[in-house]
Amino acid sequence: MNSDFQKISEIKSLPEGSRAQFCACAILKSLQKRLAKNGSEFLVADFADNSGSMTLMVFADSLAYISLTRASAGDAFKIFGVADFYNGRFSPKIDSMEKLSEEELQSLLGELVEVAPENADAMRAELFSIIEKIPNPDVRETVKYALNDVGEVFFRSTAAIKMHHAYVCGLLEHSLHLARLAVKLLPMYPFVNPSLAIAGAVLHDIGKTIEYSQGLATEKTKIGILQGHVVLGFRIVRKAALKCKLNEDLTGRLEHIILSHQGELQWGAAAVAATPEAVFVSMLDYLDARMGAVYSALKTGGDGEFTDLVPALQTRILQSKPDDEFAGAKVEVSSGKKIFIATSNAHKVKEIKAMFEEWGVDCDVGGADEIGGMPECDENADTFEGNAFIKADALKKIAPADAYVLADDSGIVVDALGGNPGIHSARYAGVKGEGADKANNEKLLKALENIPDGERSARFVCVLALVCPNGERKSFEGRVEGFINHGAKGKNGFGYDPLFELPEGMTTAELPEACKNEISHRARALKELIKFLKTQ
Ligand SMILES: O=c1nc[nH]c2c1ncn2[C@H]1C[C@H](O)[C@@H](COP(=O)(O)OP(=O)(O)OP(=O)(O)O)O1
Ligand SMILES: [Mg+2]
């Protein structure tokens, strides 16, 4: 029967004065009895299909009047009438209407109600994949318990009667949007707890599963009117947290996100957001609710330059697209990680960048000079690791919050000198700046003057310290074994390279850069670090 009825949007655009007959299939959204000036009763009925809505006035002398007096919101009808206009407004004359049988209704459901634009199964799978990323297992279980507790209705419910995401699967779509936003934006705010933020994003509106009747015409339920989705959601989440034995502090903070997500007290929030996670979730909700309202307003459209008034936005929205021939262009934003290297040694930057390029993850590696230069710092720890973190922490203070900071502390450890110069390699000869490498090399050769071959074993050691955007700290060590020769050989590399003889019979200053970057202490540490980054 699909072909023998027309969509409401088609009927409303029939030419004025055509007085064309139509047949529509639509759902009764609301019904009111009114009195005309002459004292006779008439009914005002709002009907909608998935293309739009129309308001019908049905008078007592019409056959349709009898059908309608027995109807209630959510019933679906086949409507026969004539398109007519009154003062330029669509005002059809209704001849008769028949209630759709249950069978007809099921076969037409997709035509009658608006469904979220994204595929429901795919949205559901993506939501669960984000839930699996929640680091804290108790919070993760709490989210799953709450969803399981409310059941399938979460995945079908609308998110609203009118304001935003007001369609089948709108709640799923809106919750997924918040979860996606949370995952994308969390790196910018490392002080926001990720488990609570994602849980709050997924669960913030779960009370709507109870606040709304889940029939074809969404209305508030009795308990929905008496308690509202904020408090209903709080109750669902509290029960889940208690069942999952979430600790008291996390339970209180998760409850607070639900109670405060509505933003302002006059919008129905039970408390003003007072934790980093609650402020974060309420702002994500604000963004997605308003963008959802813009989407619906533009989709419904209208004849004018602007849409009809959008209550959620307190304005009308300009309908025309921007006059921009580049409007379809995708903005290229590197999806990779940003890493800044905390060193004032340009050789280290060059080697690390080359190695990242060779076997890196998708990341953008920069030197400290790109963000204001390496701050002065005192490398006064007594291990390579300690000094590496001193440098990483110094740059972290001025690095963008969503960037990783990586520092390298390295040196040469000579067995005949009891491990010296070791962590003091850079300042071994006490010379700073340009002449340092030369002075260090001369001092080392002098110190080993009387040490015979066979007792000149040494190794390069490198410790890389990584500070992640979320504050996590990791270190990785690499070594390469060799011995100290009797005089500088080779022009490549830096520091002690001309003196460091590999078992193969050449110094690391004689190796081409790419070869050094395969076997060096720095390469070995960096390979471990990249393994870690790939898990991030
Ligand atoms: O592959 C290498 N080939 C030769 N020499 C090397 C190497 N790797 C470290 N080295 C030597 C150079 C310096 O004498 C000391 C590092 O000292 P270290 O404090 O980590 O570096 P640094 O002061 O040059 O720069 P910064 O502290 O800003 O990272 O070990
Ligand atoms: Mg140094």
Side-chain angles (χ1 to χ4, degrees):
M1 70 175 275
N2 279 18
S3 54
D4 54 337
F5 72 90
Q6 291 137 288
K7 284 291 179 67
I8 289 178
S9 60
E10 291 170 44
I11 298 165
K12 281 170 97 169
S13 57
L14 286 168
E16 224 178 307
S18 70
R19 296 190 57 81
Q21 289 197 326
F22 68 80
C23 169
C25 284
I27 291 173
L28 178 62
K29 294 286 182 175
S30 70
L31 184 65
Q32 284 172 9
K33 211 173 250 186
R34 299 255 175 86
L35 272 187
K37 280 197 189 111
N38 65 9
S40 63
E41 272 183 2
F42 67 101
L43 296 170
V44 179
D46 278 322
F47 277 94
D49 63 14
N50 69 355
S51 76
S53 62
M54 59 182 177
T55 302
L56 306 182
M57 302 221 261
V58 180
F59 294 90
D61 59 356
S62 142
L63 273 179
Y65 189 86
I66 302 163
S67 314
L68 266 186
T69 46
R70 292 192 222 121
S72 49
D75 289 347
F77 283 90
K78 204 170 183 184
I79 304 162
F80 300 90
V82 175
D84 206 353
F85 291 81
Y86 181 74
N87 280 346
R89 276 194 26 215
F90 181 67
S91 176
K93 189 175 164 305
I94 305 305
D95 296 326
S96 66
M97 49 178 77
E98 287 164 20
K99 205 168 153 183
L100 292 183
S101 70
E102 194 51 39
E103 248 172 42
E104 286 172 319
L105 175 61
Q106 285 314 318
S107 77
L108 288 177
L109 202 58
E111 309 271 349
L112 296 181
V113 289
E114 194 183 351
V115 181
E118 293 182 58
N119 176 280
D121 291 337
M123 286 196 290
R124 183 179 181 141
E126 189 183 342
L127 188 75
F128 277 104
S129 79
I130 295 178
I131 293 169
E132 287 307 326
K133 288 192 185 141
I134 294 176
N136 183 310
D138 294 343
V139 176
R140 200 186 320 136
E141 282 318 302
T142 301
V143 174
K144 290 191 199 166
Y145 184 98
L147 290 178
N148 191 49
D149 199 23
V150 302
E152 281 304 304
V153 53
F154 183 88
F155 302 99
R156 278 199 321 270
S157 177
T158 175
I161 295 176
K162 276 210 174 87
M163 302 292 251
H164 68 93
H165 303 88
Y167 36 67
V168 174
C169 302
L171 177 61
L172 169 59
E173 187 193 46
H174 176 55
S175 309
L176 174 61
H177 282 180
L178 260 64
R180 280 184 191 151
L181 284 168
V183 169
K184 287 231 187 282
L185 298 181
L186 272 168
M188 283 183 65
Y189 306 106
F191 54 90
V192 171
N193 177 286
S195 296
L196 288 171
I198 298 173
V202 174
L203 297 179
H204 76 287
D205 265 349
I206 195 167
K208 290 188 171 173
T209 56
I210 302 177
E211 183 179 34
Y212 299 134
S213 67
Q214 298 291 335
L216 291 177
T218 307
E219 291 173 310
K220 286 204 182 184
T221 57
K222 180 173 164 195
I223 193 163
I225 293 168
L226 295 180
Q227 300 194 352
H229 80 275
V230 170
V231 169
L232 291 167
F234 159 79
R235 284 174 30 181
I236 295 166
V237 169
R238 178 165 182 78
K239 176 179 162 199
L242 291 174
K243 286 277 182 190
C244 298
K245 303 201 164 47
L246 188 63
N247 78 40
E248 203 181 318
D249 177 65
L250 290 175
T251 299
R253 287 169 188 260
L254 185 57
E255 288 170 342
H256 174 66
I257 297 176
I258 310 299
L259 290 172
S260 65
H261 80 266
Q262 202 78 338
E264 310 250 335
L265 297 177
Q266 70 266 29
W267 300 339
V272 176
T275 61
E277 297 75 30
V279 175
F280 183 69
V281 170
S282 75
M283 293 316 291
L284 300 184
D285 186 30
Y286 188 82
L287 172 66
D288 193 53
R290 271 141 193 83
M291 291 315 292
V294 171
Y295 169 85
S296 294
L298 291 176
K299 187 155 177 281
T300 310
D303 299 335
E305 195 176 4
F306 288 84
T307 64
D308 289 343
L309 180 76
V310 187
L313 303 169
Q314 293 176 34
T315 187
R316 292 142 30 106
I317 300 290
L318 185 63
Q319 299 206 63
S320 54
K321 295 248 164 66
D323 177 14
D324 173 12
E325 57 179 306
F326 300 103
K330 287 256 182 307
V331 179
E332 289 296 338
V333 183
S334 156
S335 61
K337 303 171 173 68
K338 270 184 274 175
I339 303 176
F340 289 102
I341 311 173
T343 179
S344 39
N345 184 329
H347 298 282
K348 288 184 183 177
V349 177
K350 186 164 170 246
E351 289 187 5
I352 292 172
K353 277 191 173 176
M355 289 187 274
F356 262 111
E357 218 150 274
E358 190 65 25
W359 8 273
V361 274
D362 179 17
C363 51
D364 207 349
V365 184
D369 50 328
E370 291 175 31
I371 47 174
M374 184 61 200
E376 281 285 327
C377 59
D378 203 3
E379 297 171 45
N380 58 8
D382 50 16
T383 59
F384 289 112
E385 187 190 29
N387 282 332
F389 275 117
I390 287 173
K391 292 184 265 192
D393 288 332
L395 190 67
K396 173 80 182 163
K397 288 204 177 88
I398 58 166
D402 62 341
Y404 289 78
V405 173
L406 169 63
D408 165 316
D409 199 62
S410 44
I412 193 154
V413 173
V414 181
D415 293 321
L417 303 176
N420 278 325
I423 59 165
H424 306 293
S425 295
R427 44 200 147 121
Y428 186 44
V431 177
K432 281 191 175 171
E434 244 185 54
D437 284 352
K438 189 162 174 280
N440 286 336
N441 284 357
E442 279 167 11
K443 179 166 176 182
L444 182 60
L445 284 177
K446 188 112 186 48
L448 294 178
E449 223 170 25
N450 299 318
I451 306 292
D453 289 351
E455 290 175 33
R456 299 171 73 96
S457 60
R459 67 203 55 81
F460 273 132
V461 177
C462 169
V463 173
L464 295 174
L466 183 73
V467 180
C468 305
N470 67 4
E472 195 180 349
R473 303 160 77 76
K474 287 269 176 188
S475 65
F476 307 88
E477 188 179 296
R479 298 164 172 239
V480 54
E481 299 285 341
F483 52 91
I484 306 301
N485 64 15
H486 295 278
K489 280 198 303 176
K491 295 254 168 332
N492 301 330
F494 68 102
Y496 296 91
D497 279 330
L499 304 190
F500 187 73
E501 196 94 18
L502 293 163
E504 287 80 5
M506 58 190 345
T507 67
T508 42
E510 290 176 293
L511 289 178
E513 189 186 296
C515 295
K516 181 183 171 190
N517 287 345
E518 277 302 319
I519 56 108
S520 78
H521 50 318
R522 188 163 292 107
R524 289 177 176 157
L526 199 67
K527 276 185 183 157
E528 292 306 307
L529 177 130
I530 285 178
K531 267 192 221 159
F532 168 75
L533 278 180
K534 285 187 173 163
T535 68
Q536 290 287 289

